[in-house]
Amino acid sequence: MSPEEHYVRNATRGLRGKERQDTQTELLDHLTERTRQLTLTGLNPEQARTQAMQELGPAPTVARSLRRTQHVHPALSAAALLAFATLLLWPVPELLNPQATYSGGDTSESVSELRAQGYLTVREANTQLKPYGIQLKYHGESWELRHAGLPTASIASSENSWNCQGPTTSMAADQPRYWLTDTPSVRYVNPASLLACMSEAEWPLQVRGKQVSLQGKEFPLTWSNDQLTSLYARQVEKSVSQLPQAVWRTPPHYPLNLWNGALIWPWATTTTDLRRITVKSSGQNAVLLIRADVQHTMTYPTERTYKAPIFVSIATPVDEQGNTQIPRSIKTPGQSVATSINLMNSVEDWYSAPISSRPAILVALPDRTDAPIDLTPLTFNP
């Protein structure tokens, strides 16, 4: 006897004859379909079967619910009785779980597309976070990362952060859904984004090359691959905000002024037009800071166009010989063509140069993402 057959046998105790047989058939059909849906999210078959039965509730509770409804009008099918009993008596996830009614973070990307990008389900993420003492929880009206002894990392929406993004819900056809309401039942999260959330909350993340760790425990390399730029964005913002305000201050109420400080755009380079230079640095990583500007038009209450300074930040590895590579040119927000980068050796020359010249400096990154960043430019040889 399979685990599902054993479950429905216990879940239908007290029913008799054809009524019991029909109910068992419907329950088995539901468990089979739900197991198939859960395997599409990445669970193995055994995990999927277990979760499908857990979602229905304990078998004795199901049996009591069905026995209480066995004298209702015969026009009601076993499935209808089950749904009615569920609404009244069971701890139904979509009714009692606030995550189920949270409306933010929807995406049109399919589950398979999210999986290809490395997304995990919230359950999987919590399983992988557990050895680090971290828990991803839905609290109030937002998601949070919690760790004893560290500040709570509130996970912002995409409107509030470039990098820290919370769980998202796929609205595509391959998204698993709740049995009763047909609402999406699984949320997916990018683990690299969780590292960015930890960094923004100033958790003491240690960085050695591309390896990121917390309190001596290393995160999977896939979590931090090509994500170092975003891990340092908050400290870059703090350091740049120490410069004269005329250099970085955005207009009042500018929609992208995220932290009431310098506007930092963490940019992941994909260009092949790279320039190799040698710098004097004892660190394993450096960050290229480029001065640029961004334009935004607001239509309410009246149409108004803002132009604000923006700092493009690009983390780059430095090898043991001090060699690193930086892009020769970059396309900043709103630009249709790339502009050459003007690398400088003086921070004063950097912030006094015309923005149109795309002035840039290269500075060393500390080993910890919560440490201040010294804006003293690294000396370099072309």
Side-chain angles (χ1 to χ4, degrees), residues 134 145-147 150-151 153 198-199 201-205 214 369-370:
I134 303 171
L145 285 169
R146 297 182 181 180
H147 185 291
L150 294 176
M198 298 174 200
S199 174
E202 300 194 65
W203 289 17
L205 298 179
L214 177 65
T369 61
D370 62 333

Side-chain angles (χ1 to χ4, degrees), residues 4 31-32 34-53 115 121 123-124 127:
E4 293 92 336
L31 290 172
T32 300
R34 183 59 179 146
T35 299
R36 184 193 68 81
Q37 292 175 346
L38 290 170
T39 57
L40 294 177
T41 71
L43 297 182
N44 63 46
E46 183 178 352
Q47 291 173 324
R49 285 196 300 268
T50 300
Q51 182 170 328
M53 289 184 284
R115 287 297 197 179
T121 67
R123 182 189 295 269
E124 292 166 347
T127 298

